[in-house]
Amino acid sequence: MTAPEFSRLERIDTIGEGEREVSISATQEERAALAARFELKSIDRLDGVFRLRRDAAGVVARGRVRAAVVQSCVVTDDPLPVTVDEPVALRFVAEDAPDADEIELNEDSLDTMGFDGAAIDLGEAAAETMALALDPFPRGPNAAAALREAGVISEEEAKPLGALAGLKAQLEKRQP
């Protein structure tokens, strides 16, 4: 397995039952590598602040991930600046822990990430949080005009025409 582009390992033996705050920031090189991985034009900033504590099931990390990225419009490829300010609530569970695959979920459940038992990776957690917060199909202000120019109709335009086309076909069948 390839090492993550943005790795900030926190050893488990440094995390106690009381909360400890950890702040991380990606370097320019790490941001460039993550931008390539997530197919972004650029990542101008990626920071995370986590409050860590151990519990019986693993390590709980709560905090925020903030980022400034530039995505590409899926229609025009125009650059779209986007900011991310996402809360984080994770439980890191040792991959070799008994019953690691059988975690009961309730309304207070945290998203889980596996770790090797020795250290958790807050950098990868921040990168994944940022990526999940982004619109997978971003459209810029020129997207609708470009689609119209290419002859693509909107969903709103297609629905009435589709219904009328079905009615027209039924009427044609009835006429002798």
Side-chain angles (χ1 to χ4, degrees), residues 38-40 71-74 130-139:
F38 296 123
E39 299 178 358
L40 301 169
Q71 290 185 275
S72 296
C73 172
V74 294
M130 175 203 68
L132 289 170
L134 296 173
D135 181 348
F137 303 104
R139 289 190 178 192

Side-chain angles (χ1 to χ4, degrees), residues 90-151:
L90 296 170
R91 174 171 279 117
F92 290 88
V93 180
E95 292 168 350
D96 62 352
D99 300 327
D101 294 334
E102 297 180 21
I103 298 173
E104 285 193 37
L105 298 176
N106 61 38
E107 65 274 356
D108 297 326
S109 292
L110 305 173
D111 289 333
T112 60
M113 288 186 77
F115 73 100
D116 65 5
I120 60 173
D121 193 343
L122 297 176
E124 182 61 14
E128 289 182 17
T129 299
M130 175 203 68
L132 289 170
L134 296 173
D135 181 348
F137 303 104
R139 289 190 178 192
N142 301 324
L147 288 170
R148 263 192 311 280
E149 188 176 304

Side-chain angles (χ1 to χ4, degrees), residues 58-70:
V59 176
V60 174
R62 294 184 187 273
R64 293 202 87 68
V65 169
R66 292 183 172 93
V69 306
V70 179

